[in-house]
Amino acid sequence: MSIFYEKFERHDHGRGLKGHSTHYCPGCGHGLAHKYVSDAVEQLGIQDRTVLVSPVGCSVFMFYYMDVGNTQAAHGRAPAVAIGHKLANPDSIVLSYQGDGDLASIGLAEIVSTAQLGIPLSVIFINNAIYGMTGGQLAPTTLMGQWSSTSPSGRDRLAGTPMRMAELIAQLDGPVYVERVALYDNKQRVKAQKAIKRAIQNQVEHKGFSFVEVLAECPTHLHKTPQETEKWVKEEMTKIFPLGVKKDVAAEPWPTIPVPTFDPGRLYQVVGGVAEAPARHCQGFPAIGFSDDIGLKLAGSGGDGAQTAALLIARAAINEGFDATHIPSYGPESRGGTSYADVRIAEKEVLSPAAPSPHILVAFNAPSLARFGPQVVPGGVVVYDSSTVAEAPALDPRVRVYGVPFTKIAQDLGKLVVKNIIALGALQAATGLFPKETFLGAIRQVLKEKASLIPLNETAFSRGVEAVAAKRS
Amino acid sequence: MSNSEGEKPRQRDRDRPFVFLEFCKGCGRCIDSCAKHCIHEGHAIHSATGLVPVEMDLAGCNECGLCFSACPEPWGMVAEGTDSPLAEPAHEFTPQVQERPIPERIPDERLPLADARPLVTKGAYAAAIGALLAGCRHFFGYPITPSTEGAELMAKLLPRVDGHFLQAVSEVATVNMMYGCGGAGLRSMTFTSSPGFSLMLDGISYMIGSEVPGVFIDVMRGGPGLGNIGPEQGDIKLACRGLGHGNTHAIVLAPSTPQEMLDFTMDAFELSFHYRNPVIVLADGYLGQMTGRVTLPKTMVKPGLPPWAVNGRASHRGNLINSIILDEKDLEAHNQYLDQKYLAMQKEQRADLYRCDDADVLILACNTPARMAKGAVGELRQQGISAGLFRPQTLWPFPIEALQPLLPKIDRIVVVEASSGQLEDEMRLALSHAGVMAPRIDHVRHAGGVLPSQAEVVARVAGARKSISGTAQQVIS
């Protein structure tokens, strides 16, 4: 028979005439386009796997009539909704049926981007040159001089010119098939039937994105009889919207959309699961004269590696079974701007992750030292880059201060980027926060995928340690 | 070509037409379609429709079938002799049950996950990992700082589990892709930040109206307008009170640690599918960037398929995802149904109470400010002040049931937040609805990317406490 419901139960609960009659006005082109969609779905044998996305506009109620999976979309968004359905089940055949306000006005971004994506979908675009549902307002496709309730003197240039969607879509790379058809006589109707079927068949064959623009009649809002409207479409609309195939390319089939896997082993690996517990080197929480909640600040310019060093400290702490947090703070530039990191380490649980009064400060440059040095708590430790800081500011005498030439040592090693690891070594030696092996373990963990860099980083760490030791001796 | 032709012995285009007069609107499109001039403009007004159906004289009919293709009405013109149920007039006025397949329900499975040592990862990544563990394999999104890291990790990891990452043309398209994917019964999500979340609200209203699940992680940033990329909590009112137009609500989870970013994202998918409603995870810019210890769960989810989905399967053919309900009574009934659902969601209230048992002062905070507040509780306790932290983990529904029993014991609530009172408003509304006498309410507020500091919270609690000693313990707020 057809894929129309035998009774339109969703149409006013199927009461009375509405059980078998559409809500369309006499002579409306929508009914014909619906019929051709129905015929195509039936002939292609895809009723069970068809998902129809109804738009906003007169065809908002398409789901009243078609016995397929139905979704109703927000105004203009049908192609986006269709993408969601298609990716959810690549075997489904997803039809997006839209009018001219929906597709060519509010939904331009969605239709253009979806067409360019080229994903196998079938879009049926009904262009009747007027807003139907809201009552005869100007559409993007309204002809010049055409009356509408929002162009009461006829469309003029101040209201723009008619939007030719088929041509616009056809010039995109994504679509495989674009055609404009009409409904005004037998010949055009046969072409329209074929085009709609073709657009759907392309999707069945996973070829790509297909688009059929249908010039349709809206006798009500054109204030004409159905026959006059057919004539108007034929004589007026087709002048601006020429019929025919706009694009038909033998493209490679669209890539196969993968079927998700839920294999726990694979997922475990993908999210970075590691069973082996890291070696521990600490005898209890570091008793280095601070509380059971240690705050560190690492500060420098973007590119100094303050964040990486901070992350390594947090990782080292967590490897030892403690809790730790790191929060970064950047200036607006990604390089050369300020880059500060707060690290907190607690035996059981870090309460506040911020370190406004740090126990330990690592400063990579003079402004950082000047800004954060005075915030370090009495008894705290400051390690700074003496290659870049000519003269350290006077700090609380109870704060232990170590100037280590991070940059110079890094230059000697031939890799400026390891200055943060040198700083980490210096920090270890200056504070005894964790044993050296704890830091080295964290460094090796992070560089697991770039093992060739491990020796250099180990050397850099040792040089930092040695530099502080030399100062002490 | 057609693969069903063999099953359809009767070809419509070799039939003679028959018009059901009550379903003919008299548009006359069939008249010109007939080369044999068998169809004519009608003259008699049909009593049931008030329209004038066409008239036919099929003497010259050559069964070309072109009139069928010219009739816009599905049941206006049918093949003569069709054993259509419509041919039986009584049929139209008797109740009918159309044959519908029973939609299949494929249950979710929980699969064991091997033990792993804690990850050291940032909040945004933890949320992405949580989504993968919850069975989400579809991500739609639009880049926006400071939420982008989550999307970037999804883009990297999803292909490795044969999932799909799609960068949409906008946040508006994003939410509608989620509408489609969620409507198909699958778990989808996005990461966004405040301006992007604003753009998604319209779509969220459609999702709620159509009962489509989906998880939104909003890493809140400074506003209004373009604002900045610092941490703020200025979207609480949107998430709790402003999910687009109409009668909308969604569970709003407020994590405070990278661990909770993972856990709550996993929970969000469960809640979202349990209630067939979107779920919002509200984070802040700091939390997205905050690295910490994250323990993986013991199990992961292999999602099934709910029976209501429009998934492009035979048994789901009768399903509909839709929010347009024309009849006023029907739409009111739908709203009442949603209200019942919102009421049921009340049992999802969650709060974390830290040293509240003997507290005189409650500090109420969520997200990153709750961390500063927690530090303040520790500091205040050292000063001998009995402070406790009441941390709502759901902002909607607000955890009033956990708060209410504490009220008789406390002098004061200090609300600590990175917004101009949006959290406090939620609390005040919950207190008001509960009909309870509120204690004195103070606050520490910041906005624009500035977070309340631990020192400020301590000062507010310790300082103001002295100033109110001896005053009435309860005032009506």
Side-chain angles (χ1 to χ4, degrees):
Chain A
M1 290 269 293
S2 77
I3 67 153
F4 286 108
Y5 288 117
E6 188 179 285
K7 185 169 184 183
F8 305 144
E9 285 170 345
R10 289 171 179 150
H11 190 191
D12 197 22
H13 301 280
R15 283 187 282 246
L17 293 170
K18 290 180 178 176
H20 297 98
S21 198
T22 69
H23 67 288
Y24 294 115
C25 309
C28 174
H30 275 301
L32 292 178
H34 286 17
K35 231 175 183 174
Y36 305 160
V37 169
S38 161
D39 288 346
V41 169
E42 185 195 7
Q43 287 162 19
L44 293 167
I46 53 168
Q47 183 179 11
D48 282 342
R49 56 192 182 116
T50 295
V51 172
L52 173 67
V53 185
S54 311
V56 169
C58 283
S59 49
V60 64
F61 302 119
M62 200 165 173
F63 63 84
Y64 284 177
Y65 312 121
M66 306 293 246
D67 185 1
V68 294
N70 277 289
T71 291
Q72 199 289 315
H75 199 22
R77 317 301 169 212
V81 174
I83 285 177
H85 276 285
K86 188 68 182 178
L87 292 179
N89 179 6
D91 286 335
S92 59
I93 303 300
V94 187
L95 314 181
S96 176
Y97 185 105
Q98 302 180 259
D100 42 34
D102 196 78
L103 183 141
S105 185
I106 196 169
L108 269 176
E110 280 76 11
I111 190 61
V112 172
S113 59
T114 304
Q116 180 67 352
L117 181 64
I119 186 168
L121 291 173
S122 314
V123 176
I124 314 300
F125 167 47
I126 305 298
N127 174 5
N128 56 14
I130 197 92
Y131 275 61
M133 190 183 224
T134 46
Q137 293 79 25
L138 181 89
T141 49
T142 294
L143 303 188
M144 298 312 291
Q146 184 187 333
W147 182 92
S148 78
S149 68
T150 50
S151 58
S153 309
R155 185 177 197 170
D156 59 20
R157 283 303 302 272
L158 292 177
T161 54
M163 180 85 102
R164 284 186 267 258
M165 285 310 298
E167 285 79 2
L168 191 156
I169 297 297
Q171 64 88 40
L172 299 171
D173 295 328
V176 293
Y177 171 61
V178 180
E179 183 169 357
R180 182 184 286 120
V181 296
L183 305 169
Y184 54 74
D185 64 23
N186 281 336
K187 189 177 156 200
Q188 302 309 326
R189 287 191 285 262
V190 169
K191 282 188 179 173
Q193 283 172 299
K194 282 185 178 160
I196 287 172
K197 185 172 175 186
R198 174 89 191 281
I200 300 174
Q201 189 162 4
N202 279 346
Q203 187 182 168
V204 173
E205 294 167 4
H206 203 65
K207 276 188 180 160
F209 181 91
S210 300
F211 183 95
V212 178
E213 175 171 343
V214 182
L215 300 187
E217 292 77 12
C218 179
T220 299
H221 293 302
L222 289 166
H223 304 284
K224 297 180 193 300
T225 67
Q227 282 64 43
E228 286 165 355
T229 316
E230 283 181 335
K231 188 163 178 275
W232 183 82
V233 171
K234 181 180 178 179
E235 292 174 2
E236 302 300 328
M237 271 191 92
T238 55
K239 278 197 282 200
I240 305 300
F241 301 109
L243 302 178
V245 176
K246 308 292 173 183
K247 184 172 186 184
D248 188 0
V249 293
E252 292 289 304
W254 218 67
T256 305
I257 299 169
V259 179
T261 175
F262 297 96
D263 174 56
R266 174 111 67 105
L267 189 60
Y268 183 86
Q269 195 194 2
V270 163
V271 302
V274 177
E276 177 202 352
R280 292 188 181 180
H281 307 281
C282 283
Q283 310 292 323
F285 193 73
I288 50 173
F290 306 140
S291 65
D292 56 357
D293 182 351
I294 301 170
L296 300 94
K297 194 175 281 286
L298 295 91
S301 299
D304 281 339
Q307 305 302 337
T308 307
L311 280 166
L312 282 165
I313 297 167
R315 181 176 289 273
I318 290 168
N319 284 348
E320 290 292 348
F322 310 125
D323 191 21
T325 58
H326 156 253
I327 45 175
S329 161
Y330 303 102
E333 314 87 350
S334 58
R335 261 191 188 265
T338 55
S339 176
Y340 312 140
D342 285 8
V343 177
R344 292 293 286 260
I345 302 167
E347 186 167 8
K348 297 266 183 258
E349 185 197 4
V350 170
L351 301 181
S352 170
S357 312
H359 299 99
I360 299 168
L361 168 69
V362 178
F364 288 90
N365 56 30
S368 298
L369 182 57
R371 179 167 170 189
F372 298 113
Q375 297 175 4
V376 176
V377 297
V381 176
V382 172
V383 184
Y384 71 90
D385 187 352
S386 55
S387 329
T388 59
V389 181
E391 200 175 332
L395 298 175
D396 187 306
R398 290 166 293 178
V399 172
R400 288 178 287 147
V401 181
Y402 297 87
V404 173
F406 307 154
T407 307
K408 176 149 192 325
I409 297 172
Q411 273 169 341
D412 293 347
L413 291 173
K415 275 277 183 194
L416 216 51
V417 291
V418 295
K419 71 175 166 184
N420 59 342
I421 305 299
I422 296 161
L424 218 49
L427 177 149
Q428 193 281 330
T431 64
L433 177 64
F434 300 122
K436 289 175 210 145
E437 266 311 307
T438 303
F439 285 105
L440 290 168
I443 290 169
R444 289 183 202 117
Q445 226 179 62
V446 169
L447 291 174
K448 198 174 59 184
E449 316 271 303
K450 300 174 193 164
S452 64
L453 296 175
I454 291 175
L456 171 68
N457 280 274
E458 286 175 340
T459 306
F461 185 82
S462 301
R463 296 292 296 274
V465 173
E466 289 156 15
V468 170
K471 285 199 173 291
R472 277 190 172 145
S473 58
Chain B
M1 285 301 290
S2 165
N3 56 7
S4 61
E5 276 174 4
E7 302 157 25
K8 310 272 178 190
R10 184 178 51 72
Q11 284 299 293
R12 174 191 281 171
D13 59 5
R14 301 314 305 168
D15 285 319
R16 289 156 69 90
F18 175 81
V19 172
F20 282 109
L21 297 180
E22 59 270 53
F23 306 130
C24 172
K25 292 174 176 169
C27 74
R29 293 187 77 133
C30 53
I31 295 172
D32 288 343
S33 76
C34 181
K36 300 291 180 189
H37 307 292
C38 300
I39 312 174
H40 311 284
E41 202 176 324
H43 296 94
I45 296 173
H46 192 275
S47 58
T49 64
L51 298 170
V52 183
V54 295
E55 290 170 4
M56 289 202 299
D57 172 7
L58 296 180
C61 177
N62 64 353
E63 302 176 355
C64 72
L66 288 169
C67 54
F68 293 110
S69 308
C71 176
E73 281 297 311
W75 295 111
M77 187 174 282
V78 298
E80 194 181 59
T82 301
D83 53 349
S84 163
L86 297 181
E88 176 57 57
H91 181 90
E92 199 186 313
F93 302 101
T94 52
Q96 296 161 43
V97 180
Q98 295 196 8
E99 258 180 61
R100 291 261 166 80
I102 297 164
E104 60 189 316
R105 173 198 289 273
I106 303 172
D108 297 342
E109 289 176 61
R110 282 199 166 260
L111 304 176
L113 205 62
D115 286 337
R117 69 186 186 206
L119 303 177
V120 181
T121 198
K122 62 169 79 176
Y125 290 168
I129 290 168
L132 293 172
L133 293 165
C136 171
R137 295 291 181 274
H138 290 82
F139 183 95
F140 305 101
Y142 188 84
I144 182 166
T145 309
S147 76
T148 313
E149 282 98 336
E152 285 170 343
L153 190 66
M154 289 302 262
K156 186 174 160 192
L157 301 188
L158 271 173
R160 294 167 63 185
V161 287
D162 298 319
H164 211 102
F165 175 95
L166 187 62
Q167 187 167 315
V169 71
S170 67
E171 281 92 351
V172 175
T174 297
V175 65
N176 285 284
M177 289 171 184
M178 290 174 68
Y179 179 90
C181 191
L186 270 67
R187 298 180 173 214
S188 72
M189 64 137 10
T190 194
F191 277 96
T192 190
S193 180
S194 307
F197 188 60
S198 283
L199 283 173
M200 292 177 179
L201 294 173
D202 163 70
I204 290 175
S205 170
Y206 279 79
M207 288 174 80
I208 293 171
S210 307
E211 300 198 82
V212 173
V215 171
F216 294 80
I217 300 186
D218 176 13
V219 183
M220 294 180 282
R221 63 185 246 185
L226 207 47
N228 64 23
I229 58 172
E232 220 193 65
Q233 293 178 297
D235 299 352
I236 290 176
K237 75 166 193 303
L238 283 185
C240 295
R241 303 286 145 200
L243 294 176
H245 53 284
N247 175 22
T248 57
H249 277 297
I251 294 170
V252 179
L253 298 166
S256 181
T257 62
Q259 181 71 55
E260 285 186 345
M261 287 290 273
L262 183 145
D263 296 342
F264 287 11
T265 302
M266 286 192 79
D267 294 345
F269 281 98
E270 295 306 310
L271 293 166
S272 187
F273 274 75
H274 178 74
Y275 289 105
R276 275 191 74 178
N277 202 63
V279 171
I280 317 297
V281 179
L282 272 192
D284 60 63
Y286 254 39
L287 194 49
Q289 297 287 340
M290 190 191 299
T291 294
R293 181 176 60 187
V294 176
T295 304
L296 292 177
K298 300 282 181 207
T299 57
M300 57 156 272
V301 178
K302 180 184 180 187
L305 191 63
W308 48 259
V310 175
N311 190 269
R313 291 166 178 242
S315 73
H316 289 202
R317 209 176 79 199
N319 290 342
L320 170 67
I321 300 294
N322 171 49
S323 63
I324 182 168
I325 300 170
L326 275 194
D327 185 277
E328 289 87 348
K329 285 200 180 68
D330 290 348
L331 186 53
E332 184 176 45
H334 181 57
N335 272 278
Q336 286 163 347
Y337 161 77
L338 291 176
D339 286 338
Q340 288 303 313
K341 202 156 85 164
Y342 301 149
L343 202 61
M345 288 178 195
Q346 286 294 327
K347 70 169 183 286
E348 306 299 341
Q349 290 181 18
R350 289 186 197 179
D352 177 48
L353 278 60
Y354 177 69
R355 306 186 78 168
C356 288
D357 286 347
D358 61 342
D360 298 330
V361 182
L362 278 190
I363 303 174
L364 191 141
C366 63
N367 296 136
T368 299
R371 306 291 299 264
M372 283 63 172
K374 203 166 192 177
V377 169
E379 199 176 327
L380 287 160
R381 289 274 175 173
Q382 282 175 0
Q383 294 179 19
I385 296 170
S386 298
L389 171 65
F390 184 92
R391 182 166 68 89
Q393 294 170 310
T394 53
L395 301 183
W396 195 98
F398 191 88
I400 186 70
E401 283 167 27
L403 181 61
Q404 209 170 334
L406 302 172
L407 296 176
K409 297 184 280 186
I410 60 168
D411 295 341
R412 200 154 56 102
I413 298 176
V414 179
V415 183
V416 176
E417 59 182 311
S419 91
S420 302
Q422 295 187 9
L423 177 62
E424 186 175 326
D425 283 349
E426 285 308 308
M427 181 193 73
R428 285 177 180 271
L429 201 53
L431 290 170
S432 173
H433 281 304
V436 293
M437 297 278 279
R440 174 172 166 179
I441 298 167
D442 289 332
H443 55 248
V444 178
R445 292 176 184 170
H446 278 291
V450 181
L451 290 178
S453 72
Q454 181 172 323
E456 281 178 304
V457 178
V458 167
R460 187 75 181 132
V461 173
R465 187 172 184 270
K466 282 171 197 143
S467 71
I468 61 156
S469 60
T471 60
Q473 293 209 345
Q474 293 194 335
V475 294
I476 301 166
S477 69

